[in-house]
Coordinates of all heavy atoms in Angstrom, one line a residue:
M287 N 21.9 5.7 -3.7 CA 20.7 5.2 -4.3 C 19.6 6.4 -4.2 O 19.5 7.0 -3.2 CB 20.2 4.0 -3.5 CG 19.0 3.4 -4.0 SD 18.8 1.8 -3.3 CE 17.1 1.8 -2.9
T288 N 18.9 6.6 -5.3 CA 17.9 7.7 -5.4 C 16.6 7.1 -4.9 O 16.1 6.1 -5.4 CB 17.8 8.2 -6.8 OG1 19.1 8.6 -7.2 CG2 16.8 9.3 -6.9
T289 N 16.0 7.8 -4.0 CA 14.6 7.5 -3.5 C 13.6 8.2 -4.4 O 14.0 9.2 -5.1 CB 14.4 7.8 -2.0 OG1 14.5 9.2 -1.9 CG2 15.4 7.1 -1.2
M290 N 12.3 7.9 -4.2 CA 11.3 8.6 -5.0 C 11.3 10.0 -4.7 O 11.1 10.9 -5.5 CB 9.9 7.9 -4.7 CG 9.8 6.5 -5.1 SD 8.7 6.2 -6.5 CE 7.3 7.3 -6.2
V291 N 11.5 10.4 -3.4 CA 11.5 11.8 -3.0 C 12.6 12.6 -3.7 O 12.5 13.7 -4.1 CB 11.6 12.0 -1.5 CG1 11.6 13.4 -1.1 CG2 10.4 11.3 -0.9
E292 N 13.8 11.9 -3.9 CA 14.9 12.6 -4.5 C 14.9 12.6 -6.0 O 15.7 13.3 -6.6 CB 16.2 11.9 -4.0 CG 16.4 12.0 -2.5 CD 17.6 11.1 -2.0 OE1 18.0 10.2 -2.8 OE2 18.0 11.3 -0.9
D293 N 14.0 11.9 -6.6 CA 13.9 11.8 -8.1 C 13.3 13.1 -8.5 O 12.2 13.5 -8.2 CB 13.0 10.6 -8.4 CG 12.9 10.4 -9.9 OD1 13.1 11.4 -10.7 OD2 12.6 9.3 -10.3
P294 N 14.0 13.9 -9.4 CA 13.5 15.2 -9.8 C 12.2 15.1 -10.6 O 11.4 16.0 -10.6 CB 14.7 15.8 -10.7 CG 15.7 14.7 -10.8 CD 15.4 13.6 -9.9
K295 N 12.1 14.0 -11.4 CA 10.8 13.9 -12.1 C 9.7 13.7 -11.2 O 8.6 14.2 -11.4 CB 10.9 12.7 -13.1 CG 9.6 12.6 -13.9 CD 9.7 11.8 -15.2 CE 8.4 11.9 -15.9 NZ 8.5 11.1 -17.2
V296 N 9.8 12.8 -10.2 CA 8.8 12.6 -9.2 C 8.4 13.9 -8.5 O 7.3 14.3 -8.3 CB 9.1 11.5 -8.2 CG1 8.1 11.5 -7.1 CG2 9.2 10.2 -8.9
A297 N 9.5 14.7 -8.2 CA 9.2 16.0 -7.5 C 8.4 16.9 -8.4 O 7.5 17.6 -8.0 CB 10.6 16.6 -7.1
A298 N 8.8 16.9 -9.7 CA 8.0 17.8 -10.7 C 6.6 17.3 -10.8 O 5.7 18.1 -10.9 CB 8.7 17.8 -12.0
L299 N 6.4 16.0 -10.8 CA 5.0 15.5 -10.9 C 4.2 15.8 -9.7 O 3.0 16.2 -9.8 CB 5.0 14.0 -11.2 CG 5.6 13.5 -12.5 CD1 5.8 12.0 -12.6 CD2 4.6 14.0 -13.7
V300 N 4.8 15.7 -8.5 CA 4.1 16.1 -7.3 C 3.8 17.6 -7.3 O 2.7 18.0 -7.0 CB 5.0 15.7 -6.1 CG1 4.4 16.3 -4.8 CG2 5.1 14.2 -5.9
A301 N 4.7 18.4 -7.7 CA 4.5 19.8 -7.7 C 3.4 20.2 -8.7 O 2.7 21.2 -8.4 CB 5.8 20.6 -8.1
T302 N 3.2 19.5 -9.8 CA 2.1 19.8 -10.7 C 0.9 19.0 -10.5 O 0.0 19.0 -11.3 CB 2.6 19.6 -12.2 OG1 3.0 18.3 -12.3 CG2 3.7 20.6 -12.5
R303 N 0.8 18.2 -9.4 CA -0.3 17.4 -9.0 C -0.6 16.3 -10.1 O -1.7 16.0 -10.4 CB -1.6 18.2 -8.7 CG -1.3 19.2 -7.6 CD -2.5 20.0 -7.2 NE -3.6 19.2 -6.8 CZ -3.8 18.5 -5.7 NH1 -2.9 18.6 -4.8 NH2 -4.9 17.8 -5.4
S304 N 0.5 15.8 -10.7 CA 0.4 14.9 -11.8 C 1.0 13.5 -11.5 O 1.1 12.7 -12.4 CB 1.1 15.5 -13.1 OG 0.5 16.7 -13.5
L305 N 1.3 13.3 -10.3 CA 1.9 12.0 -9.9 C 0.8 10.9 -9.8 O -0.2 11.1 -9.1 CB 2.6 12.0 -8.6 CG 3.3 10.8 -8.2 CD1 4.4 10.4 -9.1 CD2 3.9 10.9 -6.8
N306 N 0.9 9.9 -10.6 CA -0.1 8.8 -10.6 C 0.0 8.0 -9.3 O 1.1 7.5 -9.0 CB 0.1 7.9 -11.8 CG -0.9 6.9 -12.0 OD1 -1.9 6.7 -11.2 ND2 -0.8 6.1 -13.1
P307 N -1.1 7.9 -8.5 CA -1.0 7.2 -7.3 C -1.0 5.7 -7.5 O -0.6 5.0 -6.5 CB -2.3 7.6 -6.5 CG -3.2 8.0 -7.6 CD -2.4 8.6 -8.7
R308 N -1.3 5.2 -8.7 CA -1.3 3.8 -8.9 C -0.6 3.4 -10.3 O -1.2 2.8 -11.1 CB -2.8 3.3 -9.0 CG -3.6 3.6 -7.7 CD -5.0 3.2 -7.8 NE -5.7 3.7 -9.0 CZ -6.2 5.0 -9.1 NH1 -6.1 5.8 -8.1 NH2 -6.8 5.4 -10.2
P309 N 0.7 3.8 -10.4 CA 1.3 3.5 -11.7 C 1.4 2.0 -12.0 O 1.5 1.6 -13.1 CB 2.7 4.1 -11.5 CG 2.9 4.1 -10.1 CD 1.6 4.4 -9.5
E310 N 1.4 1.1 -10.9 CA 1.4 -0.3 -11.2 C 0.2 -0.9 -11.8 O 0.2 -2.0 -12.4 CB 1.7 -1.0 -9.8 CG 0.5 -1.0 -8.9 CD 0.3 0.3 -8.1 OE1 1.1 1.2 -8.2 OE2 -0.7 0.4 -7.4
K311 N -0.9 -0.1 -11.9 CA -2.2 -0.5 -12.5 C -2.1 -0.4 -14.0 O -2.9 -0.9 -14.7 CB -3.3 0.3 -12.0 CG -3.6 0.1 -10.5 CD -4.5 -1.0 -10.3 CE -4.9 -1.0 -8.8 NZ -5.8 -2.2 -8.5
V312 N -1.1 0.4 -14.5 CA -1.0 0.5 -16.0 C -0.3 -0.7 -16.5 O 0.8 -1.1 -16.2 CB -0.1 1.8 -16.3 CG1 0.0 1.9 -17.8 CG2 -0.8 3.0 -15.7
T313 N -1.1 -1.4 -17.4 CA -0.6 -2.7 -18.0 C -0.6 -2.7 -19.5 O -0.3 -3.7 -20.1 CB -1.4 -3.9 -17.5 OG1 -2.8 -3.7 -17.9 CG2 -1.4 -4.0 -16.0
D314 N -0.9 -1.5 -20.1 CA -0.9 -1.4 -21.6 C 0.4 -1.7 -22.1 O 1.4 -1.0 -21.8 CB -1.4 0.0 -22.0 CG -1.6 0.1 -23.5 OD1 -2.6 -0.4 -24.0 OD2 -0.6 0.6 -24.1
V315 N 0.5 -2.7 -22.9 CA 1.8 -3.2 -23.4 C 2.5 -2.1 -24.3 O 3.7 -1.9 -24.2 CB 1.7 -4.5 -24.2 CG1 3.0 -5.0 -24.9 CG2 1.1 -5.6 -23.3
V316 N 1.8 -1.5 -25.2 CA 2.3 -0.4 -26.0 C 2.9 0.7 -25.2 O 4.0 1.2 -25.4 CB 1.3 0.0 -27.1 CG1 1.9 1.2 -27.9 CG2 0.9 -1.1 -28.0
F317 N 2.1 1.2 -24.2 CA 2.5 2.3 -23.4 C 3.8 1.9 -22.6 O 4.7 2.7 -22.6 CB 1.4 2.6 -22.4 CG 1.7 3.8 -21.5 CD1 1.3 5.1 -21.9 CD2 2.2 3.6 -20.2 CE1 1.6 6.1 -21.1 CE2 2.5 4.7 -19.4 CZ 2.1 6.0 -19.8
L318 N 3.8 0.7 -22.0 CA 5.0 0.3 -21.2 C 6.2 0.1 -22.0 O 7.3 0.2 -21.5 CB 4.6 -0.9 -20.3 CG 3.5 -0.6 -19.3 CD1 3.1 -2.0 -18.6 CD2 3.9 0.4 -18.3
A319 N 6.0 -0.3 -23.3 CA 7.2 -0.6 -24.2 C 7.9 0.7 -24.6 O 9.0 0.7 -25.1 CB 6.7 -1.4 -25.4
S320 N 7.2 1.9 -24.5 CA 7.8 3.1 -25.0 C 8.7 3.7 -23.9 O 8.4 3.8 -22.8 CB 6.7 4.1 -25.3 OG 7.2 5.4 -25.6
R321 N 9.9 4.1 -24.4 CA 10.8 4.8 -23.5 C 10.3 6.2 -23.1 O 10.7 6.8 -22.1 CB 12.2 5.0 -24.2 CG 12.9 3.6 -24.4 CD 14.2 3.8 -24.9 NE 15.1 4.5 -24.0 CZ 16.2 5.1 -24.3 NH1 16.6 5.1 -25.5 NH2 16.9 5.7 -23.4
F322 N 9.4 6.8 -23.9 CA 8.9 8.1 -23.7 C 7.8 8.1 -22.6 O 7.7 9.0 -21.8 CB 8.3 8.7 -25.0 CG 7.6 9.9 -24.8 CD1 8.2 11.1 -24.6 CD2 6.2 10.0 -24.9 CE1 7.5 12.3 -24.4 CE2 5.5 11.2 -24.7 CZ 6.2 12.3 -24.5
C323 N 7.0 7.0 -22.6 CA 5.9 7.0 -21.7 C 6.3 6.6 -20.3 O 7.2 5.8 -20.1 CB 4.8 5.9 -22.2 SG 4.1 6.4 -23.8
D324 N 5.6 7.2 -19.3 CA 5.9 7.0 -17.9 C 4.6 6.8 -17.1 O 3.8 7.8 -17.0 CB 6.7 8.2 -17.4 CG 7.2 8.0 -16.0 OD1 6.8 7.0 -15.3 OD2 8.0 8.8 -15.5
A325 N 4.4 5.6 -16.6 CA 3.2 5.3 -15.8 C 3.0 6.2 -14.6 O 1.9 6.3 -14.0 CB 3.1 3.9 -15.5
R326 N 4.1 6.9 -14.1 CA 4.0 7.7 -13.0 C 3.3 9.1 -13.3 O 2.9 9.8 -12.4 CB 5.4 8.0 -12.4 CG 6.1 6.8 -11.9 CD 7.5 7.1 -11.5 NE 8.3 7.6 -12.6 CZ 9.5 8.1 -12.5 NH1 10.1 8.1 -11.3 NH2 10.1 8.6 -13.5
D327 N 3.2 9.4 -14.6 CA 2.7 10.7 -15.0 C 1.2 10.5 -15.4 O 0.9 10.0 -16.5 CB 3.4 11.2 -16.3 CG 3.0 12.5 -16.7 OD1 1.9 13.0 -16.4 OD2 3.8 13.2 -17.5
V328 N 0.3 10.9 -14.5 CA -1.1 10.6 -14.7 C -1.7 11.4 -15.9 O -2.6 10.8 -16.5 CB -1.9 10.9 -13.4 CG1 -2.1 12.4 -13.2 CG2 -3.2 10.2 -13.4
V329 N -1.2 12.5 -16.2 CA -1.7 13.2 -17.4 C -1.4 12.4 -18.6 O -2.2 12.2 -19.5 CB -1.1 14.7 -17.5 CG1 -1.4 15.3 -18.8 CG2 -1.5 15.5 -16.3
Q330 N -0.2 11.9 -18.7 CA 0.2 11.1 -19.9 C -0.6 9.8 -19.9 O -1.0 9.4 -21.0 CB 1.7 10.8 -19.8 CG 2.3 10.2 -21.0 CD 3.8 10.0 -20.9 OE1 4.2 9.4 -20.0 NE2 4.5 10.4 -21.9
V331 N -0.8 9.2 -18.8 CA -1.6 8.0 -18.8 C -3.0 8.2 -19.3 O -3.5 7.5 -20.1 CB -1.6 7.4 -17.3 CG1 -2.6 6.3 -17.2 CG2 -0.2 6.9 -17.0
K332 N -3.6 9.2 -18.8 CA -5.0 9.5 -19.2 C -5.1 9.9 -20.6 O -6.0 9.5 -21.4 CB -5.6 10.7 -18.3 CG -5.8 10.3 -16.9 CD -6.3 11.5 -16.1 CE -6.6 11.2 -14.7 NZ -7.1 12.4 -13.9
Y333 N -4.1 10.7 -21.1 CA -4.1 11.1 -22.5 C -4.0 9.9 -23.4 O -4.7 9.7 -24.4 CB -3.0 12.1 -22.8 CG -2.9 12.6 -24.2 CD1 -3.7 13.6 -24.7 CD2 -2.1 11.9 -25.1 CE1 -3.7 14.0 -26.0 CE2 -2.1 12.3 -26.5 CZ -2.9 13.4 -26.9 OH -2.9 13.7 -28.2
E334 N -3.0 9.1 -23.1 CA -2.8 7.9 -23.9 C -3.9 6.9 -23.9 O -4.2 6.2 -24.9 CB -1.5 7.2 -23.4 CG -0.2 7.9 -23.9 CD 0.0 8.1 -25.4 OE1 -0.3 7.1 -26.1 OE2 0.3 9.1 -25.8
M335 N -4.6 6.8 -22.8 CA -5.8 6.0 -22.7 C -6.9 6.5 -23.7 O -7.4 5.7 -24.5 CB -6.4 6.0 -21.3 CG -7.7 5.2 -21.1 SD -8.4 5.2 -19.5 CE -8.7 6.9 -19.1
V336 N -7.1 7.8 -23.7 CA -8.1 8.3 -24.7 C -7.6 8.1 -26.1 O -8.4 7.8 -27.0 CB -8.4 9.8 -24.3 CG1 -9.3 10.4 -25.4 CG2 -9.0 9.9 -23.0
R337 N -6.3 8.4 -26.3 CA -5.8 8.2 -27.7 C -5.9 6.8 -28.2 O -6.2 6.5 -29.3 CB -4.3 8.7 -27.7 CG -3.7 8.8 -29.1 CD -2.2 8.9 -29.1 NE -1.6 7.6 -28.7 CZ -1.6 6.6 -29.5 NH1 -2.2 6.6 -30.7 NH2 -1.1 5.4 -29.1
R338 N -5.6 5.9 -27.3 CA -5.7 4.5 -27.6 C -7.1 4.1 -28.1 O -7.2 3.4 -29.1 CB -5.3 3.6 -26.4 CG -5.2 2.1 -26.8 CD -3.9 1.7 -27.4 NE -2.8 1.8 -26.5 CZ -1.7 2.5 -26.6 NH1 -1.6 3.3 -27.7 NH2 -0.8 2.5 -25.7
V339 N -8.1 4.7 -27.5 CA -9.5 4.4 -28.0 C -9.8 5.2 -29.3 O -10.3 4.6 -30.3 CB -10.5 4.8 -26.9 CG1 -12.0 4.8 -27.4 CG2 -10.4 3.9 -25.7
R340 N -9.5 6.4 -29.3 CA -9.9 7.2 -30.5 C -9.0 7.0 -31.7 O -9.6 7.1 -32.8 CB -9.8 8.7 -30.1 CG -10.9 9.1 -29.1 CD -10.9 10.5 -28.7 NE -12.0 10.9 -27.8 CZ -12.1 12.0 -27.2 NH1 -11.2 13.0 -27.4 NH2 -13.1 12.2 -26.4
I341 N -7.8 6.8 -31.6 CA -6.9 6.6 -32.7 C -6.6 5.1 -33.0 O -6.7 4.7 -34.2 CB -5.5 7.3 -32.5 CG1 -5.7 8.8 -32.2 CG2 -4.6 7.1 -33.7 CD1 -6.4 9.6 -33.2
D342 N -6.3 4.3 -32.0 CA -6.0 2.9 -32.3 C -7.3 2.0 -32.3 O -7.2 0.8 -32.5 CB -5.0 2.4 -31.2 CG -3.7 3.1 -31.2 OD1 -3.4 3.8 -32.3 OD2 -3.0 3.1 -30.3
K343 N -8.4 2.6 -32.0 CA -9.7 1.9 -32.0 C -9.8 0.7 -31.1 O -10.5 -0.2 -31.3 CB -10.0 1.5 -33.4 CG -10.0 2.6 -34.5 CD -11.0 3.7 -34.2 CE -11.0 4.7 -35.3 NZ -11.6 6.0 -34.8
V344 N -9.1 0.9 -29.9 CA -9.2 -0.2 -28.9 C -10.5 0.1 -28.1 O -10.9 1.2 -27.9 CB -8.0 0.0 -27.9 CG1 -8.2 -0.9 -26.7 CG2 -6.7 -0.3 -28.6
P345 N -11.3 -1.0 -27.8 CA -12.6 -0.8 -27.1 C -12.3 -0.1 -25.7 O -11.3 -0.3 -25.1 CB -13.0 -2.2 -26.8 CG -12.4 -3.1 -27.9 CD -11.0 -2.4 -28.1
V346 N -13.3 0.7 -25.4 CA -13.2 1.6 -24.2 C -12.9 0.7 -22.9 O -12.0 1.0 -22.2 CB -14.5 2.4 -23.9 CG1 -14.5 3.0 -22.6 CG2 -14.6 3.4 -25.0
T347 N -13.7 -0.4 -22.7 CA -13.5 -1.2 -21.6 C -12.0 -1.8 -21.5 O -11.4 -1.8 -20.4 CB -14.5 -2.4 -21.5 OG1 -15.8 -1.8 -21.6 CG2 -14.4 -3.2 -20.3
Q348 N -11.5 -2.2 -22.6 CA -10.2 -2.8 -22.7 C -9.1 -1.7 -22.4 O -8.2 -1.9 -21.6 CB -9.9 -3.4 -24.1 CG -8.6 -4.0 -24.2 CD -8.3 -4.5 -25.7 OE1 -9.3 -4.8 -26.4 NE2 -7.1 -4.6 -26.1
A349 N -9.3 -0.5 -23.0 CA -8.3 0.5 -22.8 C -8.3 1.0 -21.3 O -7.3 1.2 -20.7 CB -8.6 1.7 -23.7
A350 N -9.5 1.2 -20.8 CA -9.7 1.7 -19.4 C -9.0 0.7 -18.5 O -8.2 1.2 -17.6 CB -11.1 1.9 -19.1
R351 N -9.2 -0.5 -18.6 CA -8.6 -1.5 -17.8 C -7.1 -1.5 -17.9 O -6.4 -1.6 -16.9 CB -9.2 -2.9 -18.1 CG -8.7 -4.0 -17.1 CD -9.3 -5.4 -17.5 NE -10.7 -5.3 -17.7 CZ -11.4 -5.7 -18.8 NH1 -10.7 -6.1 -19.8 NH2 -12.7 -5.6 -18.9
A352 N -6.6 -1.4 -19.1 CA -5.1 -1.4 -19.4 C -4.4 -0.2 -18.8 O -3.2 -0.3 -18.5 CB -4.9 -1.5 -20.9
F353 N -5.2 0.9 -18.5 CA -4.6 2.1 -18.0 C -4.9 2.3 -16.5 O -4.7 3.3 -15.9 CB -4.9 3.3 -18.8 CG -4.1 3.4 -20.1 CD1 -4.6 2.8 -21.3 CD2 -2.9 3.9 -20.2 CE1 -3.9 2.8 -22.5 CE2 -2.1 4.0 -21.3 CZ -2.6 3.4 -22.5
G354 N -5.6 1.3 -15.9 CA -5.9 1.4 -14.5 C -7.2 2.1 -14.1 O -7.3 2.6 -13.0
Y355 N -8.1 2.2 -15.1 CA -9.3 3.0 -14.8 C -10.5 2.1 -15.2 O -10.4 1.0 -15.8 CB -9.4 4.2 -15.7 CG -8.4 5.3 -15.2 CD1 -7.1 5.3 -15.8 CD2 -8.7 6.2 -14.2 CE1 -6.2 6.3 -15.3 CE2 -7.8 7.1 -13.8 CZ -6.6 7.2 -14.3 OH -5.7 8.1 -13.9
C356 N -11.7 2.5 -14.8 CA -13.0 1.9 -15.1 C -13.5 2.6 -16.4 O -13.1 3.7 -16.7 CB -13.9 1.9 -14.0 SG -14.5 3.5 -13.5
R357 N -14.5 2.0 -17.0 CA -15.2 2.6 -18.2 C -15.7 4.0 -17.9 O -15.6 4.9 -18.7 CB -16.3 1.6 -18.6 CG -16.9 2.0 -20.0 CD -17.9 1.0 -20.4 NE -18.9 0.7 -19.4 CZ -20.0 1.5 -19.2 NH1 -20.1 2.6 -19.9 NH2 -20.8 1.2 -18.3
Q358 N -16.4 4.1 -16.7 CA -17.0 5.4 -16.3 C -15.9 6.5 -16.3 O -16.1 7.6 -16.8 CB -17.7 5.3 -15.0 CG -18.1 6.6 -14.4 CD -19.4 7.2 -15.1 OE1 -20.2 6.4 -15.6 NE2 -19.5 8.5 -15.0
A359 N -14.8 6.2 -15.7 CA -13.6 7.1 -15.6 C -13.1 7.5 -16.9 O -12.7 8.6 -17.2 CB -12.5 6.5 -14.7
F360 N -13.1 6.5 -17.9 CA -12.6 6.9 -19.2 C -13.5 8.0 -19.8 O -12.9 9.0 -20.3 CB -12.7 5.6 -20.2 CG -12.6 6.1 -21.6 CD1 -11.3 6.2 -22.1 CD2 -13.7 6.4 -22.4 CE1 -11.2 6.7 -23.4 CE2 -13.5 6.8 -23.7 CZ -12.3 6.9 -24.2
Y361 N -14.8 7.9 -19.7 CA -15.7 8.9 -20.2 C -15.5 10.3 -19.5 O -15.5 11.3 -20.2 CB -17.1 8.5 -20.2 CG -17.4 7.4 -21.2 CD1 -17.7 6.1 -20.7 CD2 -17.3 7.6 -22.5 CE1 -17.9 5.0 -21.6 CE2 -17.6 6.5 -23.4 CZ -17.8 5.3 -23.0 OH -18.1 4.2 -23.8
E362 N -15.2 10.3 -18.3 CA -14.9 11.5 -17.5 C -13.6 12.1 -18.0 O -13.5 13.3 -18.2 CB -14.9 11.2 -16.0 CG -16.3 10.9 -15.5 CD -16.2 10.4 -14.0 OE1 -15.1 10.4 -13.4 OE2 -17.3 10.0 -13.5
V363 N -12.6 11.3 -18.2 CA -11.3 11.8 -18.7 C -11.4 12.3 -20.1 O -10.9 13.4 -20.4 CB -10.2 10.6 -18.6 CG1 -9.0 11.0 -19.3 CG2 -9.9 10.3 -17.2
A364 N -12.1 11.6 -20.9 CA -12.3 12.1 -22.3 C -13.1 13.4 -22.4 O -12.7 14.3 -23.1 CB -13.1 11.0 -23.1
A365 N -14.1 13.6 -21.5 CA -14.8 14.8 -21.5 C -13.9 16.0 -21.0 O -14.0 17.1 -21.5 CB -16.0 14.7 -20.6
A366 N -13.1 15.7 -20.0 CA -12.2 16.7 -19.5 C -11.2 17.1 -20.6 O -10.9 18.3 -20.7 CB -11.5 16.2 -18.2
L367 N -10.7 16.1 -21.3 CA -9.7 16.4 -22.3 C -10.3 17.2 -23.4 O -9.8 18.2 -23.9 CB -9.2 15.1 -22.9 CG -8.1 15.2 -24.0 CD1 -6.9 15.9 -23.5 CD2 -7.8 13.8 -24.5
D368 N -11.6 16.9 -23.8 CA -12.3 17.7 -24.9 C -12.5 19.1 -24.4 O -12.4 20.0 -25.2 CB -13.6 17.0 -25.2 CG -13.4 15.6 -25.9 OD1 -12.3 15.4 -26.4 OD2 -14.3 14.9 -26.0
A369 N -12.9 19.3 -23.1 CA -13.3 20.6 -22.6 C -12.1 21.5 -22.4 O -12.1 22.7 -22.6 CB -14.1 20.4 -21.4
G370 N -11.0 20.9 -21.9 CA -9.9 21.7 -21.4 C -8.5 21.4 -21.9 O -7.5 22.0 -21.5
G371 N -8.4 20.4 -22.8 CA -7.1 20.0 -23.3 C -6.3 19.2 -22.3 O -6.8 18.9 -21.2
P372 N -5.1 18.8 -22.6 CA -4.3 18.0 -21.7 C -4.1 18.6 -20.3 O -4.1 17.8 -19.3 CB -2.9 17.9 -22.4 CG -3.2 18.1 -23.8 CD -4.4 19.1 -23.9
S373 N -4.1 19.9 -20.1 CA -3.9 20.5 -18.8 C -5.1 20.2 -17.9 O -5.0 20.2 -16.7 CB -3.7 22.0 -18.9 OG -4.8 22.6 -19.4
A374 N -6.2 19.9 -18.5 CA -7.4 19.5 -17.7 C -7.3 18.1 -17.1 O -8.2 17.8 -16.3 CB -8.7 19.6 -18.5
L375 N -6.3 17.4 -17.5 CA -6.2 16.0 -17.0 C -5.4 15.9 -15.6 O -5.4 14.9 -15.0 CB -5.5 15.1 -18.0 CG -6.2 15.0 -19.4 CD1 -5.4 14.1 -20.3 CD2 -7.6 14.5 -19.2
A376 N -4.8 17.0 -15.3 CA -4.1 17.1 -14.0 C -5.1 17.3 -12.9 O -6.2 17.9 -13.1 CB -3.1 18.2 -13.9
A377 N -4.9 16.8 -11.7 CA -5.8 17.0 -10.6 C -5.9 18.5 -10.3 O -4.9 19.2 -10.3 CB -5.3 16.3 -9.4
G378 N -7.1 18.9 -9.9 CA -7.3 20.3 -9.5 C -6.8 20.5 -8.1 O -6.5 19.6 -7.4
K379 N -6.8 21.8 -7.7 CA -6.4 22.1 -6.4 C -7.4 21.6 -5.4 O -8.6 21.8 -5.7 CB -6.2 23.6 -6.3 CG -5.0 24.1 -7.1 CD -4.8 25.6 -6.8 CE -3.6 26.1 -7.7 NZ -3.5 27.5 -7.5
P380 N -7.0 21.1 -4.3 CA -8.0 20.6 -3.3 C -8.7 21.8 -2.6 O -8.2 22.9 -2.6 CB -7.1 19.8 -2.3 CG -5.8 20.4 -2.4 CD -5.6 20.9 -3.9
G381 N -9.8 21.5 -2.0 CA -10.5 22.5 -1.2 C -11.7 23.1 -1.9 O -12.0 22.7 -3.0
P382 N -12.3 24.0 -1.3 CA -13.5 24.6 -1.8 C -13.2 25.4 -3.1 O -12.2 26.0 -3.2 CB -14.1 25.5 -0.7 CG -13.1 25.5 0.4 CD -12.0 24.5 0.0
K383 N -14.2 25.4 -4.0 CA -14.1 26.1 -5.2 C -14.8 27.5 -5.1 O -15.8 27.6 -4.5 CB -14.7 25.4 -6.4 CG -14.1 24.0 -6.6 CD -12.7 23.9 -6.9 CE -12.2 22.5 -7.1 NZ -11.2 22.1 -6.2
P384 N -14.1 28.5 -5.6 CA -14.8 29.9 -5.5 C -16.0 30.0 -6.3 O -16.3 29.3 -7.2 CB -13.7 30.8 -6.0 CG -12.7 30.0 -6.7 CD -12.9 28.6 -6.3

């Protein structure tokens, strides 16, 4: 039986600081129905949340809730995506900034 630590995808997500600490909060039906989408990947979750609002025209509050975020966090994620692309959605390195 494979544990989360032995799962190579989880190991890759941890290494890139992209492991979603709350994948169970993602309830978006379209996202969960896709074989491609993975609620453990926080970059994918954040990107799809913004896409759902901008392309599918889902209200911000509804999309944020369905992806496990609040409305304020949606706007922060959208701004990060606009400023730095998908790579800006991964967590930054911890500690003081130079």
Side-chain angles (χ1 to χ4, degrees):
M287 182 165 139
T288 303
T289 65
M290 294 249 322
V291 176
E292 296 169 347
D293 184 336
K295 182 164 186 179
V296 171
L299 291 171
V300 168
T302 58
R303 303 183 53 78
S304 299
L305 183 63
N306 187 356
R308 300 174 311 276
E310 70 282 353
K311 298 270 187 185
V312 179
T313 61
D314 184 80
V315 176
V316 176
F317 183 88
L318 296 174
S320 172
R321 293 184 64 199
F322 172 74
C323 296
D324 186 348
R326 298 174 300 174
D327 184 341
V328 76
V329 172
Q330 189 177 53
V331 168
K332 289 177 178 179
Y333 180 86
E334 287 297 318
M335 175 177 64
V336 174
R337 193 195 69 73
R338 188 80 71 239
V339 170
R340 292 181 175 173
I341 305 299
D342 296 343
K343 305 301 183 200
V344 172
V346 170
T347 303
Q348 180 183 337
R351 187 178 311 119
F353 284 91
Y355 290 91
C356 65
R357 188 177 53 81
Q358 172 76 27
F360 167 83
Y361 291 111
E362 292 170 4
V363 168
L367 180 62
D368 292 343
S373 63
L375 301 180
K379 292 182 180 178
K383 306 296 183 240

